[in-house]
Amino acid sequence: MSILYKTMAAALLLGGSAMAMAANDGQMRANELITTDPQYRETWQGVVKKEERLPEWVMNLSGDAEQMNAVQEDGHKYLVGPLCKSQPTCLNERLIVAFSFDKEDAYAMLVEVPAGLPADKSPTRHASYRFLGKPDQGMQDLLMEQLKKDPNWY
């Protein structure tokens, strides 16, 4: 019997750690979501189809992305992460994306800073912010907090 218990305990530990990893940081990147999961793609298309004049990299969630994090807002869990058109232009063009764990809702904040801004000028003072997916104030705050985690954002 002890072998059976050890086997069951090992299976539970492995299964539990796999579930924790899936819900934990770094499992996905925003530029992988809509190409790997049709439900993410459908949800994102529902968000961007109502928007006008979005860059193609935003429409397709393509570009340079960092790992996403599991974040909680108002009792709901979201997968949140940044996406840039390209690494060299990240300060000027970036998107902070949030998908609900059930893949039913998606929100984003497009942040644009004029190119050629002198290094001594704060990007926060010159940035324009555009919210996608009609996020409420709590979600807008969550997206803004994610942006503020960037050490180059001041």
Side-chain angles (χ1 to χ4, degrees):
M1 282 263 209
S2 74
I3 292 176
L4 178 61
Y5 286 123
K6 287 180 182 176
T7 304
M8 287 174 49
L12 287 172
L13 284 173
L14 287 174
S17 65
M19 286 175 60
M21 283 174 40
N24 201 352
D25 301 348
Q27 290 300 300
M28 293 295 288
R29 295 173 185 265
N31 59 357
E32 299 170 344
L33 290 179
I34 65 173
T35 58
T36 59
D37 189 317
Q39 198 169 353
Y40 281 124
R41 182 174 39 253
E42 183 180 320
T43 299
W44 185 249
Q45 287 173 347
V47 169
V48 296
K49 76 177 181 182
K50 301 168 189 163
E51 298 289 337
E52 293 182 13
R53 293 184 284 163
L54 282 175
E56 189 172 323
W57 66 274
V58 172
M59 299 282 290
N60 299 322
L61 287 184
S62 60
D64 190 48
E66 294 177 17
Q67 293 179 339
M68 299 182 85
N69 298 309
V71 178
Q72 195 157 342
E73 163 57 30
D74 197 28
H76 301 285
K77 291 183 180 178
Y78 295 90
L79 199 55
V80 182
L83 176 74
C84 298
K85 181 178 180 182
S86 67
Q87 192 57 45
T89 65
C90 200
L91 185 64
N92 303 98
E93 298 176 288
R94 81 174 73 194
L95 188 72
I96 309 295
V97 182
F99 277 92
S100 61
F101 268 37
D102 64 7
K103 305 175 189 176
E104 294 291 321
D105 299 302
Y107 306 99
M109 178 177 66
L110 178 60
V111 183
E112 296 178 301
V113 176
L117 188 68
D120 63 338
K121 300 289 184 189
S122 166
T124 57
R125 293 182 180 268
H126 300 279
S128 65
Y129 305 92
R130 180 176 173 186
F131 292 98
L132 310 175
K134 296 183 176 47
D136 63 17
Q137 189 61 53
M139 179 54 65
Q140 289 180 24
D141 293 345
L142 180 144
L143 295 169
M144 193 62 80
E145 283 302 313
Q146 295 300 308
L147 176 63
K148 291 177 184 175
K149 289 181 178 181
D150 182 342
N152 297 316
W153 193 257
Y154 54 94

